[in-house]
């Protein structure tokens, strides 16, 4: 008998293995746990270095830390946030050109708005000619006492008005440079100019600003040839006041300053005489080609000699008022304001150079006065260093004296006759504010000086924005009554009398007052730019000069 199979017979295809690995000798038998792979030997390129954590596993889908599914590194959106943040500066189209150019200069080159280009004109001005015109105008501005940022803004505005958009102006104390690069693949064109002579002529400065306003205005089309012609006329212009008027103004300024400090008519006359002699000596040194250091030194000596002469004659006058009044016209107030302004706006090299220049002028004044006072001490001249502690309060006389001081200061700065009246009024308001805080309210003199200087800067910037010109003619003369003439004199006197601690303390107070003036003027101007629009600004600009975002 044949035995029956216990189960159904399997088909041949059911006994066929699914793959060759099923019968491979390398296949893992069922029920056997695989061993972990051996560790990489030390020094292998695949070993994770000590101290470095391995990369974490990817976040599960839907996690808040997972990369969004719609984001792709290859197809990233065009908008991005730079490392320094998003620039928030936005100006309307009718903002003054100074504000627009200053704001653009404070932005990186890649973030500056691109102007809408007009149809290309092949007969446009050549690049070297535009750059040369820009440097010549910048030279006049820098030599006239403008801040470095204002000079750069003017140079930038000229280049953009003539179609040179990718330009970079650079201003230092004695060197102007500008670079233009048409595109990223073209070679840049660079030109520079050295500023060797400086002079104070605010009439010329106002004429340069008028030329700049016409170049940037949409209603004017000033060609480079016309700009060169007007620039030559500005250079050839005569000063509005002859030399004898300037000398007389220096004397009246000194007399008004001495009256402001408590002097009478005789003190006014003696202080004016000393200032006139000092001015003539300075003119003589300038004609001989001596540096400005020696001009300031010799100009400070006659007022000090007049004060010492009054002391030796035992005249019942105020020698300290005579000497202090003669120093008011010599203190470089505008240079100090420009130095602090350059430092606050980031031009540290130019600010350092200006501060060094101011320091040299102060040293020249100190040496000139100290030389005379040292001789006076040898002759037993009884100079009283406590005279500054007993001021004479005469409100009406002092207000009138402060306004006369500002008017004569404006004449010395060669201002146009139309700006002298406002500078005089602005200086009178500054003195009223200062006296209200420091004398009537018995407050800090430094704080009173800063507040008064802030109002001077605010009002001066408003007038400059209204007339589309520089703020210097409205500000520089108005800070005259606030200058630290008495603190400088009493510091020098204490040093001459061998009271070094008291002398350096007084000179430090003079430096603090000077810095308060500079910071106050700068802050007042910035407030005017930030919160107040220019009256009479143009409402629209032509397509060739319109910029996106400005």
């Amino acid at each position: 008998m044949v035995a029956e199979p216990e189960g159904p017979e399997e088909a041949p295809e059911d006994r066929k293995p699914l793959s060759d690995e099923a019968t491979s000798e390398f296949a893992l038998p069922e029920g056997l746990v695989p061993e972990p792979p051996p560790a990489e030997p030390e020094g292998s390129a695949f070993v994770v270095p000590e101290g470095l954590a391995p990369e974490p596993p990817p976040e599960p889908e839907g996690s808040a830390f997972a990369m969004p599914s719609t984001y792709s590194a290859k197809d990233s959106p065009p908008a991005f946030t730079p490392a320094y943040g998003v620039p928030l500066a936005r100006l309307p189209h009718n903002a003054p050109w100074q504000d627009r150019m200053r704001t653009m200069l404070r932005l990186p080159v890649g973030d500056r708005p691109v102007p809408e280009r007009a149809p290309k004109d092949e007969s446009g001005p050549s690049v070297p000619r535009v750059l040369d015109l820009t440097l010549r105008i910048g030279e006049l501005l820098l030599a006239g006492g403008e801040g470095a940022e204002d000079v750069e803004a003017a140079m930038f505005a000229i280049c953009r008005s003539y179609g040179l958009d990718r330009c970079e102006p650079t201003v230092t104390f004695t060197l102007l440079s500008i670079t233009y690069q048409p595109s990223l693949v073209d070679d840049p064109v660079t030109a520079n100019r050295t500023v060797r002579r400086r002079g104070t002529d605010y009439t010329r400065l106002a004429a340069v600003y008028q030329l700049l306003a016409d170049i940037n205005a949409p209603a004017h089309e000033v060609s480079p040839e016309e700009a060169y012609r007007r620039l030559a006329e500005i250079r050839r212009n005569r000063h509005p006041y002859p030399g004898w008027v300037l000398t007389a103004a220096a004397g009246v300024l000194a007399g008004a300053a001495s009256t402001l400090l408590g002097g009478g008519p005789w003190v006014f006359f003696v202080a004016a005489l000393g200032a006139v002699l000092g001015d003539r000596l300075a003119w003589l040194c300038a004609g001989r080609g001596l540096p400005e250091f020696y001009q300031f030194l010799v100009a400070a000596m006659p007022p000090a000699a007049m004060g010492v002469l009054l002391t030796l004659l035992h005249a019942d006058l105020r020698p300290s008022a005579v000497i202090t009044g003669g120093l008011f016209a010599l203190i470089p107030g505008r240079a100090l304001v420009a130095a602090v302004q350059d430092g606050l706006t980031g031009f540290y090299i130019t600010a350092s150079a200006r501060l060094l220049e101011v320091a040299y002028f102060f040293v020249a004044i100190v040496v000139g006065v100290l030389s005379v006072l040292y001789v006076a001490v040898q002759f037993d001249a009884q100079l009283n260093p406590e005279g500054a502690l007993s001021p004479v309060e005469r409100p009406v006389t002092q207000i009138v004296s402060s306004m006369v001081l500002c008017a004569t200061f404006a004449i010395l700065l060669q201002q146009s006759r139309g700006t002298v009246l406002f500078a005089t009024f602005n200086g009178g308001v500054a003195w009223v504010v200062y006296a209200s805080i420091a004398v009537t309210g018995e407050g800090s003199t430094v704080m009173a000086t800063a507040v008064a200087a802030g109002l001077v800067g605010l009002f001066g910037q408003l007038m400059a924005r209204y007339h589309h010109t520089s703020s210097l003619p409205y500000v520089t003369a108005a800070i005259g009554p606030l200058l630290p003439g008495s603190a400088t004199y009493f510091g020098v006197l204490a040093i001459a009398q061998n009271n070094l601690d008291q002398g350096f303390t007084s000179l430090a107070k003079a430096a603090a007052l000077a810095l308060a003036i500079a910071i106050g003027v700068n802050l007042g101007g910035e407030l005017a730019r930030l919160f107040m629009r220019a009256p009479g600004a143009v409402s629209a600009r032509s397509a060739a000069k319109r910029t996106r975002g400005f």
Side-chain angles (χ1 to χ4, degrees):
M1 277 181 81
V2 179
E4 294 287 340
E6 296 181 0
E9 186 177 358
E10 296 180 357
E13 58 271 10
D14 294 336
R15 296 194 300 267
K16 186 177 180 181
L18 298 177
S19 64
D20 294 339
E21 293 181 359
T23 57
S24 173
E25 61 181 356
F26 298 102
L28 185 66
E30 296 181 3
L32 186 62
V33 179
E35 295 182 0
E40 293 289 342
E42 186 176 357
S44 173
F46 301 98
V47 178
V48 179
E50 295 182 2
L52 181 64
E55 185 178 354
E59 295 287 341
E61 186 176 357
S63 172
F65 301 98
M67 184 68 69
S69 59
T70 58
Y71 179 83
S72 174
K74 295 182 179 180
D75 302 324
S76 59
F80 69 99
T81 301
Y84 44 80
V86 178
L88 301 177
R90 293 292 183 268
L91 289 176
H93 295 293
N94 56 357
W97 65 266
Q98 295 97 325
D99 291 354
R100 288 185 284 105
M101 296 301 108
R102 185 182 293 108
T103 304
M104 293 180 67
L105 284 173
R106 294 177 180 179
L107 293 176
V109 179
D111 293 339
R112 293 174 183 172
V114 180
E116 298 176 5
R117 295 184 179 276
K120 188 174 181 181
D121 186 8
E122 298 295 340
S123 61
S126 62
V127 172
R129 191 166 180 80
V130 173
L131 297 185
D132 180 71
L133 175 64
T134 303
L135 290 174
R136 291 178 182 274
I137 294 179
E139 178 189 10
L140 286 180
L141 294 176
L142 187 63
E146 277 289 359
E149 187 179 34
D150 294 328
V151 177
E152 280 198 2
M155 296 171 65
F156 193 67
I158 296 171
C159 289
R160 289 179 69 89
S161 296
Y162 288 114
L164 307 185
D165 305 321
R166 300 177 60 88
C167 62
E168 276 297 320
T170 303
V171 175
T172 58
F173 187 57
T174 57
L175 181 66
L176 298 173
S177 176
I178 188 165
T179 301
Y180 171 68
Q181 188 173 13
S183 65
L184 296 176
V185 297
D186 293 328
D187 295 332
V189 180
T190 302
N192 54 62
R193 194 173 184 87
T194 303
V195 180
R196 301 189 183 277
R197 296 186 60 185
R198 301 178 184 274
T200 304
D201 188 347
Y202 285 174
T203 302
R204 177 181 295 176
L205 190 65
V208 174
Y209 264 89
Q210 183 60 48
L211 174 60
L212 287 171
D214 293 341
I215 291 176
N216 289 275
H220 294 77
E221 292 295 337
V222 181
S223 63
E225 288 72 20
E226 182 181 356
Y228 268 110
R229 179 185 59 80
R230 293 178 58 178
L231 195 61
E233 293 178 356
I234 293 173
R235 288 181 175 274
R236 290 195 302 265
N237 74 328
R238 298 184 61 183
H239 298 308
Y241 309 103
W244 67 269
V245 173
L246 298 179
T247 302
V252 176
L253 187 153
S258 64
T259 306
L260 192 66
L261 299 174
W266 282 105
V267 172
F268 180 97
F269 175 76
V270 175
L273 180 60
V276 167
L277 293 177
D279 182 77
R280 288 293 90 192
L281 285 177
W283 276 87
L284 180 62
C285 293
R288 299 291 182 179
L290 291 178
E292 285 186 305
F293 178 88
Y294 300 104
Q295 298 176 29
F296 275 81
L297 190 150
V298 298
M301 296 177 70
M306 287 293 177
V308 170
L309 182 62
L310 291 179
T311 304
L312 293 177
L313 294 177
H314 302 284
D316 189 16
L317 298 174
R318 296 174 65 94
S320 60
V322 173
I323 300 176
T324 304
L327 299 182
F328 265 78
L330 301 178
I331 297 176
R334 175 54 206 166
L336 181 64
V337 172
V340 175
Q341 180 180 356
D342 289 343
L344 294 176
T345 53
F347 293 83
Y348 301 114
I349 297 178
T350 307
S352 302
R354 289 186 188 271
L355 285 176
L356 186 60
E357 181 189 40
V358 171
Y360 269 104
F361 290 160
F362 266 111
V363 170
I365 296 172
V366 168
V367 171
V369 177
L370 192 60
S371 302
V372 177
L373 295 184
Y374 181 76
V375 175
V377 170
Q378 304 305 316
F379 284 93
D380 296 328
Q382 300 299 321
L383 295 169
N384 181 19
E386 303 296 331
L389 302 179
S390 58
V392 179
E393 295 187 17
R394 298 175 297 177
V396 177
T397 303
Q398 289 179 332
I399 292 175
V400 173
S401 299
S402 65
M403 297 180 71
V404 172
L405 190 153
C406 295
T408 52
F409 205 169
I411 293 175
L412 286 177
L413 295 173
Q414 300 283 0
Q415 292 186 200
S416 61
R417 294 173 176 84
T419 61
V420 173
L421 182 61
F422 181 84
T424 302
F425 176 77
N426 200 11
V429 172
W431 176 258
V432 170
V433 173
Y434 169 81
S436 300
I437 298 176
V439 180
T440 305
E442 298 182 353
S444 171
T445 56
V446 176
M447 182 187 68
T449 302
V451 173
L455 291 177
V456 168
L458 178 62
F459 295 152
Q461 187 62 229
L462 288 179
M463 289 298 295
R465 293 164 72 84
Y466 184 82
H467 293 287
H468 302 284
T469 184
S470 172
S471 62
L472 294 184
Y474 305 102
V475 170
T476 306
I479 64 175
L482 306 176
L483 294 175
S486 59
T488 303
Y489 161 66
F490 286 105
V492 174
L493 176 59
I495 294 176
Q497 295 177 341
N498 205 22
N499 298 325
L500 299 182
D501 293 340
Q502 182 181 355
F504 286 118
T505 301
S506 184
L507 290 179
K509 180 183 177 182
L513 291 174
L515 290 177
I517 293 174
I519 295 175
V521 169
N522 180 264
L523 181 60
E526 292 296 333
L527 290 177
R529 297 190 190 104
L530 286 176
F531 300 110
M532 300 181 185
R533 296 174 61 182
V538 183
S539 59
R541 306 181 70 209
S542 61
K545 297 182 179 181
R546 188 169 60 248
T547 55
R548 303 186 187 98
F550 287 87

